[in-house]
Amino acid sequence: MTNEDARTPASVQGEKSQEAGKSIGWHKAYVEGSRPDLRVPVRQVHLTNGQSVTLYDTSGPYTDPLAETDVRRGLPPLRENWIIARGDTAEYAGRPVRPEDDGIKHTSPRGGLRNLDAVFPGRPRQPRRSRDGKAVTQLAYARRGEITPEMEFVAIRENVSPEVVRDEIAAGRAVLPANVNHPEIEPMIIGKRFLVKVNANIGNSAVTSSIEEEVEKMTWATRWGADTVMDLSTGRNIHTTREWVLRNSPVPIGTVPLYQALEKVDGRAEELTWEIYKDTVIEQAEQGVDYMTVHAGVRLPYVPLTANRKTGIVSRGGSIMAAWCLAHHRESFLYENFEELCEILAAYDVTYSLGDGLRPGSIADANDEAQFAELRTLGELNTIAKRFNVQTMIEGPGHVPMHKIKENIDLQQEICDEAPFYTLGPLTTDIAPAYDHITSGIGAAMIAWWGTAMLCYVTPKEHLGLPNRDDVKTGVITYKIAAHAADLAKGHPGAQEWDDALSDARFEFRWEDQFNLALDPDTAREFHDETLPAEPAKTAHFCSMCGPKFCSMKISQDIRRQHGESREDIEEGMAQKSKEFAAAGNRVYLPIAD
Amino acid sequence: MTNEDARTPASVQGEKSQEAGKSIGWHKAYVEGSRPDLRVPVRQVHLTNGQSVTLYDTSGPYTDPLAETDVRRGLPPLRENWIIARGDTAEYAGRPVRPEDDGIKHTSPRGGLRNLDAVFPGRPRQPRRSRDGKAVTQLAYARRGEITPEMEFVAIRENVSPEVVRDEIAAGRAVLPANVNHPEIEPMIIGKRFLVKVNANIGNSAVTSSIEEEVEKMTWATRWGADTVMDLSTGRNIHTTREWVLRNSPVPIGTVPLYQALEKVDGRAEELTWEIYKDTVIEQAEQGVDYMTVHAGVRLPYVPLTANRKTGIVSRGGSIMAAWCLAHHRESFLYENFEELCEILAAYDVTYSLGDGLRPGSIADANDEAQFAELRTLGELNTIAKRFNVQTMIEGPGHVPMHKIKENIDLQQEICDEAPFYTLGPLTTDIAPAYDHITSGIGAAMIAWWGTAMLCYVTPKEHLGLPNRDDVKTGVITYKIAAHAADLAKGHPGAQEWDDALSDARFEFRWEDQFNLALDPDTAREFHDETLPAEPAKTAHFCSMCGPKFCSMKISQDIRRQHGESREDIEEGMAQKSKEFAAAGNRVYLPIAD
């Protein structure tokens, strides 16, 4: 996104190479706000024609050559002073971390990864929460008319006035996920009035992957443009993995507390209790999780509605809650204790992501009774959350054919008072496992155009396995395309400048500029060099696709050279000829009647 | 596409392995029509539960273990007897093939590839054309109320009645590209009433690639689902390359005669003449090209309209014609001689693909004056072509942001009397070179849903270089996804059965069936095996994505096992509990007012 802000970013000297040895022609820069400790990172692309384009940057300090980062110490607590200055929160001892938090029983033979190497060394810090019932959420501040440093930060990022940011948050049309225990993040906002955001899921599973891999996936995902990251770890060392991810993440982190709670009862859904769940939520809130998916809309009476579905319940959380409800023949403990849960989240400014546990898992199940029954309940819960000043977004499907997509966003906006919609895809067909980043990228672009605020990415491995580093990159790039295509369709101010800058570079054969402006400069350059590797080709007025004689852009330029640059020039030379045609009614053939 | 036809296909024995050693669990089969020589190929996927799914098949005899194929002899002339039986065409000597046809001047130092190895040996055959002015196009037959074997063939392929096929062709809403000199093709139809089709472009350029590569790209593209192939060769040996491609292609072949004509004048656009172009069209028509892109809509008065564009003219043909018009300050020779061109195409039943030479090449230029001025002229030319019984489709953009896509198809359908629209993408953003199969796949799915009949694929190499084998596959798969997503959105009868079959296999953990039903079985299997290679994993009730404890589908199944399969069963067990909630208004929380 081109930064429209008048203030010129304070450029950071020196180029950062994206991968060993590979220079990518852009600088990390910062736009300063009203105070010295409010510096908004941007990605400044320097063009060979002397101009520069400023793009939205999610990569954090890792791409700043002047910043010293150490994953064992974590990122600097950017927001700490802002939080302390508000004086409405206080540190406290916090709950003790137990081996169970990492899925390790006292009786467990192996100690898992819980050893000195695995435990995050970091900096000593106590958890923080609201002081004597004070409202400490960005929603509460916005309602009070306060513009926080976080709000000013996103206003600069989005090129809108801080007042617009405050308005949207106060109205519940946008959320600014920022747990008081996650001071490391660079604030960002999620709402239809702003740039469409992309979430990347990471997380080890019981089957594979390690702590180090997950931290690396997180920094890798944000480097390519992920605006938030969800840690969906389900195996051992959940607590420890999350700690490493949180302390090193420049973007808000989301989780599904139910996963860890289930680990605490050895995966036996029926043994889950409100107490275990609540303890897990507090554990994660103290660590700094910014938003939590809560499947409180999966109610006992809705479970039968899924019985005749082709693919039943495909949400992990949804299936777990459905199993619990049926096992006890009781209403969901999440639904019954929702108000108490609101009080907990409010104390840390954890944002709700109300989960769509009954989303369709196949084209056949799209927009069915179960899905919309849950959506209506999410609308009810959204109203309750707002009473407690808890920021809230609503999760959406899933698998939906194109002609049924719009109904999803329209219903959600109506039922949930325009709360931000956060959708997974949707996938527009089921026939292409290994290409579901594409089947879903199509639906994602469309639903974002129609108002979805954040898109949860889908990788090529969806339905098949755990995504690796390459899959994460492919998923993020695909979804950045969908998000930007939607920004264009929504006419988001400044969105098209990025396209225009790249198209100008293309028409003028500034190959290096095309590469550097590309979402993925490395791959663009690599593809070009496959067939025309030579350095001269970087300035050639053609590529191997059409060759010199057939390059339409080259011919177009020749035309302009020969007949003048402007339309007027060309028209002048053709005025006479054109007149003749006008006289002939611009037709060569006469009607059959003649 | 699942074949709804009652007739069970006569299955071919034995399995065909897709790549060395790799079995893919499907058989080539044929559905017989009203005559023994009318056998429609289908792809029959055999599921482990004993059922089978029949899909549309474009791969030709190459996937039939009983068929003997030899690229040096070409495919058997499937349609030859049908054409001869009509008795309205006759063989004739045809124009002599000259070295210039392959871009070789007498003065040329090197002989290019024109030697015994390169020249296609094939079978001796003379070209054929309409006998004493008889109307020999499928459009003419349809208008006369005749249902040709070609029409019956596509009716079986599309699971509609032959009468529907005849109606759509007669009305000009569909085309059945089938040059009388290309008897090798398996007939297919392009029209909004039928399955959305996908075209793959191949063709060597002056810069790279060989005859063998192009033939291999063609068979590779049709294996993955390309419905037609355009040979856009621009380098040497154009004539010879085309001959090899035509004689070995089971799908209609399209070309842009202007490219070869330009080669004949050494790439000097201003030296092009109607005579050279006309001679080239006849040369290609005699070889059997089924449809030709003709940029007759690029008129002199429109060229100035492109002067202030960000990316000028991005169509090769469009830029060539614009250069010619300006060089001579004359109206396009294609526009001025369009009626004579119609007479030539009608004699061979070559279908028009009226080119959009002024399509936008960037988001900034979408839906502008130049583009729509040309579209209106294409509407005028479409009317003329129909007078000559020439089948016609209209080409469309290009680069168009999502909110401007629908206007394109709506205008085209209105201006061109619902003639089939054939679009390139459109690309919905310019910022992702190396991912333009995705930026365009989004637009392609949407415009196809709204009525586009055929989609011209875009590969990851678009704007960067000539696609290789992998790029061709990625482009075709991406566009098959877009086309099928559109078939679903249009509610095309039977389209969803493919999705349903795969979703059933997914829910029942029939991994092998999921792979075999996938658009790309090889990659789906490969991705799954990356993390869970063991054979038992092929029957496991989970994958590495969530692991056993968190597999929602497994939990869903357990729920059904424990509480009964049907909704009624589950409801019964829950009737009591549900009543209580109904009594409480299905709410746990009371209104604030209370």
Side-chain angles (χ1 to χ4, degrees):
Chain A
M1 255 306 308
T2 306
N3 187 316
E4 280 294 70
D5 200 281
R7 282 162 292 192
T8 11
S11 184
V12 168
Q13 293 317 308
E15 257 193 6
K16 183 83 170 181
S17 86
Q18 182 148 4
E19 278 181 19
K22 221 180 262 173
S23 148
I24 61 161
W26 59 274
H27 290 76
K28 180 86 167 193
Y30 298 89
V31 178
E32 282 208 358
S34 61
R35 41 195 288 175
D37 67 345
L38 200 159
R39 301 169 67 234
V40 180
V42 294
R43 169 175 169 167
Q44 199 156 28
V45 182
H46 298 283
L47 309 182
T48 56
N49 64 1
Q51 299 169 352
S52 84
V53 178
T54 308
L55 304 176
Y56 193 102
D57 178 42
T58 58
S59 61
Y62 302 102
T63 50
D64 181 346
L66 301 187
E68 281 172 18
T69 56
D70 172 0
V71 291
R72 298 179 54 79
R73 286 179 54 76
L75 297 176
L78 177 65
R79 298 168 53 230
E80 197 164 55
N81 295 334
W82 306 347
I83 295 164
I84 291 171
R86 288 194 275 261
D88 52 7
T89 58
E91 293 188 341
Y92 68 108
R95 70 183 275 292
V97 175
R98 314 187 195 86
E100 293 84 340
D101 300 341
D102 268 332
I104 294 146
K105 300 276 152 300
H106 296 299
T107 59
S108 165
R110 10 194 300 264
L113 289 179
R114 270 194 89 73
N115 52 49
L116 285 179
D117 285 347
V119 174
F120 181 72
R123 302 180 184 75
R125 182 200 288 142
Q126 279 199 319
R128 171 182 293 281
R129 70 182 166 199
S130 151
R131 168 177 286 155
D132 36 68
K134 285 211 169 56
V136 302
T137 68
Q138 295 289 325
L139 172 56
Y141 301 140
R143 283 173 164 175
R144 272 194 236 128
E146 290 175 29
I147 290 175
T148 61
E150 287 87 347
M151 294 178 202
E152 182 187 346
F153 193 101
V154 300
I156 294 172
R157 270 189 132 168
E158 302 270 349
N159 303 306
V160 297
S161 75
E163 196 45 45
V164 168
V165 173
R166 194 202 57 74
D167 279 346
E168 293 298 298
I169 295 173
R173 287 189 299 265
V175 295
L176 194 161
N179 184 322
V180 295
N181 292 307
H182 195 194
E184 297 89 350
I185 61 164
E186 294 167 343
M188 53 80 69
I189 192 163
I190 303 165
K192 62 183 174 184
R193 174 87 173 63
F194 307 99
L195 291 170
V196 174
K197 302 305 188 297
V198 171
N199 170 74
N201 292 333
I202 61 171
N204 59 346
S205 82
V207 180
T208 173
S209 119
S210 74
I211 288 180
E212 294 71 11
E213 283 175 59
E214 296 318 312
V215 174
E216 209 280 343
K217 271 188 203 167
M218 177 273 293
T219 54
W220 181 242
T222 54
R223 156 160 299 166
W224 291 109
D227 296 284
T228 72
V229 167
M230 287 195 81
D231 176 3
L232 304 184
S233 296
T234 58
R236 268 166 180 272
N237 308 298
I238 293 185
H239 180 97
T240 304
T241 302
R242 187 167 50 236
E243 187 66 24
W244 282 78
V245 169
L246 278 163
R247 301 287 75 84
N248 288 292
S249 173
V251 303
I253 296 298
T255 61
V256 184
L258 193 63
Y259 297 172
Q260 184 178 12
L262 189 70
E263 293 286 356
K264 290 177 179 177
V265 292
D266 288 327
R268 287 189 286 269
E270 64 279 11
E271 291 186 13
L272 282 167
T273 64
W274 163 242
E275 289 63 34
I276 290 170
Y277 183 86
K278 174 178 163 181
D279 174 68
T280 306
V281 166
I282 291 168
E283 170 190 350
Q284 299 193 6
E286 289 179 345
Q287 282 186 290
V289 169
D290 301 287
Y291 65 90
M292 298 181 185
T293 294
V294 177
H295 299 93
V298 180
R299 297 191 48 199
L300 182 68
Y302 304 156
V303 182
L305 304 182
T306 68
N308 294 342
R309 274 181 162 184
K310 191 163 284 294
T311 49
I313 298 171
V314 295
S315 147
R316 294 185 200 174
S319 61
I320 294 164
M321 288 312 298
W324 187 92
C325 290
L326 291 181
H328 298 276
H329 277 206
R330 277 198 52 192
E331 181 54 273
S332 156
F333 61 80
L334 292 178
Y335 184 77
E336 291 191 324
N337 297 282
F338 192 74
E339 289 192 326
E340 186 178 352
L341 192 55
C342 290
E343 286 167 356
I344 298 168
L345 267 55
Y348 303 89
D349 197 3
V350 173
T351 297
Y352 267 123
S353 184
L354 295 178
D356 56 335
L358 301 183
R359 67 170 172 268
S362 59
I363 291 299
D365 296 341
N367 296 19
D368 72 353
E369 197 182 352
Q371 184 194 334
F372 289 148
E374 178 186 37
L375 180 58
R376 280 184 291 275
T377 297
L378 297 187
E380 174 194 338
L381 299 175
N382 172 62
T383 308
I384 294 162
K386 296 292 168 57
R387 281 207 334 252
F388 289 82
N389 282 313
V390 180
Q391 304 190 79
T392 305
M393 52 186 172
I394 313 293
E395 294 184 9
H399 292 240
V400 185
M402 284 190 286
H403 63 299
K404 292 186 176 180
I405 290 177
K406 196 161 188 308
E407 181 180 13
N408 279 273
I409 174 75
D410 291 347
L411 256 184
Q412 182 273 339
Q413 287 289 293
E414 178 198 329
I415 292 172
C416 304
D417 305 326
E418 298 182 86
F421 204 24
Y422 168 30
T423 63
L424 177 72
L427 286 72
T428 54
T429 171
D430 303 332
I431 65 168
Y435 296 85
D436 280 326
H437 56 303
I438 296 174
T439 62
S440 67
I442 292 167
M446 293 170 72
I447 202 162
W449 167 27
W450 291 324
T452 288
M454 183 157 77
L455 303 168
C456 181
Y457 86 168
V458 171
T459 78
K461 290 274 171 64
E462 183 77 12
H463 300 120
L464 298 169
L466 201 65
N468 61 23
R469 181 184 158 96
D470 291 341
D471 301 317
V472 166
K473 176 179 173 180
T474 302
V476 171
I477 296 276
T478 302
Y479 272 67
K480 291 299 280 189
I481 288 170
H484 184 72
D487 290 333
L488 287 176
K490 288 162 71 176
H492 195 289
Q496 197 182 312
E497 292 181 26
W498 189 356
D499 300 74
D500 290 352
L502 197 140
S503 292
D504 284 335
R506 178 170 286 153
F507 191 64
E508 291 162 18
F509 298 100
R510 287 184 272 115
W511 290 100
E512 282 301 330
D513 292 346
Q514 277 191 67
F515 301 149
N516 292 332
L517 283 166
L519 257 183
D520 178 359
D522 304 348
T523 307
R525 185 178 282 103
E526 180 192 319
F527 281 2
H528 173 271
D529 293 0
E530 252 179 54
T531 37
L532 282 180
E535 225 9 79
K538 298 293 194 316
T539 52
H541 279 205
F542 62 91
C543 73
S544 66
M545 194 173 179
C546 308
K549 263 194 306 200
F550 283 87
C551 178
S552 59
M553 293 204 176
K554 180 175 182 304
I555 298 171
S556 258
Q557 288 194 343
D558 295 345
I559 289 174
R560 292 191 185 180
R561 246 191 306 287
Q562 293 161 21
H563 303 271
E565 276 301 318
S566 84
R567 170 171 174 170
E568 291 61 35
D569 299 340
I570 296 181
E571 261 170 349
E572 193 180 317
M574 295 188 12
Q576 185 44 38
K577 195 72 186 169
S578 301
K579 279 207 202 80
E580 293 169 24
F581 279 95
N586 283 333
R587 285 189 292 100
V588 164
Y589 302 107
L590 301 171
I592 304 164
D594 297 10
Chain B
M1 252 309 304
T2 306
N3 187 318
E4 280 292 71
D5 200 282
R7 283 162 290 192
T8 12
S11 184
V12 168
Q13 292 317 305
E15 259 192 7
K16 182 81 169 184
S17 85
Q18 182 147 2
E19 278 181 18
K22 221 180 263 175
S23 147
I24 61 160
W26 59 274
H27 290 75
K28 179 86 167 193
Y30 296 90
V31 179
E32 282 207 0
S34 63
R35 44 196 287 177
D37 68 345
L38 201 158
R39 302 168 67 235
V40 180
V42 294
R43 169 175 170 168
Q44 199 156 30
V45 182
H46 299 281
L47 309 182
T48 56
N49 64 1
Q51 298 169 353
S52 83
V53 177
T54 308
L55 304 176
Y56 193 103
D57 178 41
T58 57
S59 60
Y62 302 101
T63 52
D64 181 345
L66 301 187
E68 280 172 19
T69 56
D70 173 359
V71 290
R72 297 180 54 79
R73 285 179 53 76
L75 296 176
L78 177 65
R79 299 167 53 229
E80 196 165 54
N81 295 335
W82 307 346
I83 295 164
I84 292 172
R86 287 194 276 261
D88 51 10
T89 57
E91 293 187 340
Y92 68 107
R95 69 182 277 291
V97 176
R98 312 186 196 89
E100 292 85 339
D101 299 342
D102 268 331
I104 294 147
K105 301 277 153 300
H106 297 297
T107 59
S108 166
R110 8 194 301 265
L113 289 178
R114 270 196 88 74
N115 52 49
L116 286 179
D117 283 349
V119 173
F120 181 73
R123 303 180 184 74
R125 181 200 289 144
Q126 279 199 319
R128 171 181 293 281
R129 70 182 167 199
S130 152
R131 169 177 285 153
D132 34 68
K134 284 211 169 57
V136 301
T137 68
Q138 295 290 324
L139 173 56
Y141 301 140
R143 282 173 163 175
R144 273 195 236 126
E146 290 176 29
I147 290 175
T148 61
E150 287 87 347
M151 295 177 200
E152 182 188 346
F153 193 101
V154 302
I156 294 172
R157 269 190 134 167
E158 301 270 349
N159 302 305
V160 297
S161 75
E163 196 46 45
V164 167
V165 172
R166 195 202 57 74
D167 278 347
E168 293 298 300
I169 295 174
R173 287 189 300 264
V175 295
L176 195 162
N179 184 322
V180 295
N181 292 307
H182 195 194
E184 296 90 350
I185 61 165
E186 294 167 343
M188 53 80 70
I189 192 163
I190 302 165
K192 62 183 175 184
R193 174 88 171 64
F194 307 99
L195 290 170
V196 174
K197 303 304 189 295
V198 171
N199 170 74
N201 292 333
I202 60 170
N204 59 345
S205 82
V207 180
T208 172
S209 123
S210 74
I211 288 179
E212 294 70 13
E213 282 175 59
E214 297 317 312
V215 173
E216 210 280 343
K217 272 187 202 167
M218 177 273 292
T219 55
W220 181 241
T222 54
R223 157 159 299 165
W224 291 109
D227 296 284
T228 72
V229 167
M230 287 194 80
D231 177 2
L232 304 184
S233 296
T234 57
R236 271 167 177 271
N237 307 297
I238 292 185
H239 181 98
T240 303
T241 302
R242 188 168 49 237
E243 187 67 25
W244 282 78
V245 169
L246 279 163
R247 301 286 75 83
N248 288 292
S249 174
V251 303
I253 296 297
T255 61
V256 184
L258 192 62
Y259 296 172
Q260 184 179 12
L262 189 70
E263 293 287 355
K264 290 178 179 176
V265 293
D266 288 328
R268 287 188 286 269
E270 64 278 13
E271 292 187 12
L272 281 168
T273 65
W274 163 242
E275 288 62 35
I276 290 170
Y277 183 87
K278 173 179 166 181
D279 173 68
T280 306
V281 167
I282 291 168
E283 170 190 350
Q284 298 193 8
E286 289 179 346
Q287 282 186 292
V289 170
D290 301 287
Y291 65 91
M292 298 182 185
T293 294
V294 178
H295 298 94
V298 180
R299 296 190 50 199
L300 181 68
Y302 303 156
V303 182
L305 304 182
T306 68
N308 294 342
R309 274 181 161 185
K310 190 163 283 296
T311 48
I313 298 172
V314 296
S315 147
R316 294 184 200 175
S319 60
I320 294 165
M321 289 312 298
W324 186 92
C325 290
L326 290 182
H328 299 276
H329 277 206
R330 276 198 52 192
E331 181 56 273
S332 157
F333 61 81
L334 292 177
Y335 183 78
E336 292 191 324
N337 297 283
F338 193 73
E339 290 192 326
E340 186 177 353
L341 192 56
C342 289
E343 286 168 357
I344 297 168
L345 267 56
Y348 303 89
D349 197 4
V350 173
T351 297
Y352 267 123
S353 184
L354 295 178
D356 58 334
L358 301 182
R359 67 170 172 269
S362 59
I363 292 300
D365 297 340
N367 295 20
D368 71 354
E369 197 182 352
Q371 184 194 334
F372 289 148
E374 177 186 38
L375 180 58
R376 280 186 290 275
T377 297
L378 297 187
E380 175 193 337
L381 299 176
N382 172 61
T383 308
I384 294 162
K386 296 293 168 56
R387 283 212 327 257
F388 288 82
N389 282 313
V390 180
Q391 305 190 80
T392 305
M393 52 186 172
I394 313 292
E395 294 184 9
H399 293 239
V400 185
M402 285 191 285
H403 63 299
K404 292 187 176 180
I405 290 177
K406 196 160 188 309
E407 181 181 12
N408 278 273
I409 174 75
D410 292 346
L411 257 184
Q412 182 274 339
Q413 287 290 293
E414 178 198 330
I415 292 172
C416 304
D417 304 326
E418 297 183 85
F421 203 24
Y422 168 30
T423 64
L424 177 73
L427 286 71
T428 55
T429 171
D430 304 332
I431 66 169
Y435 296 85
D436 280 326
H437 56 303
I438 297 174
T439 63
S440 66
I442 292 167
M446 293 170 72
I447 202 163
W449 167 25
W450 291 324
T452 287
M454 183 156 78
L455 302 169
C456 181
Y457 87 167
V458 172
T459 78
K461 289 277 171 64
E462 183 76 14
H463 300 120
L464 298 169
L466 201 65
N468 60 25
R469 181 184 159 97
D470 291 342
D471 301 317
V472 167
K473 176 179 173 179
T474 302
V476 171
I477 296 276
T478 301
Y479 272 67
K480 292 299 280 189
I481 288 170
H484 185 72
D487 291 333
L488 287 175
K490 287 162 72 177
H492 196 287
Q496 198 183 311
E497 290 178 27
W498 189 355
D499 300 74
D500 291 352
L502 196 140
S503 293
D504 284 336
R506 179 170 285 154
F507 191 65
E508 291 162 18
F509 298 100
R510 288 184 271 115
W511 289 101
E512 283 301 331
D513 292 345
Q514 278 192 66
F515 302 149
N516 293 332
L517 283 165
L519 257 182
D520 178 359
D522 304 347
T523 307
R525 184 178 282 104
E526 179 192 319
F527 280 2
H528 173 271
D529 293 359
E530 249 178 57
T531 38
L532 282 181
E535 224 10 79
K538 298 293 197 314
T539 53
H541 280 206
F542 63 90
C543 74
S544 66
M545 194 173 179
C546 308
K549 265 194 303 200
F550 283 87
C551 177
S552 60
M553 293 202 175
K554 179 174 183 302
I555 297 172
S556 259
Q557 288 194 343
D558 294 346
I559 288 175
R560 293 189 183 181
R561 246 192 306 287
Q562 292 161 22
H563 304 269
E565 276 301 319
S566 84
R567 171 173 176 168
E568 292 61 35
D569 298 340
I570 296 180
E571 261 170 348
E572 193 181 317
M574 296 188 8
Q576 185 47 38
K577 195 72 187 169
S578 300
K579 279 207 203 80
E580 292 169 25
F581 280 93
N586 282 333
R587 284 188 294 98
V588 163
Y589 303 105
L590 301 171
I592 303 164
D594 296 10

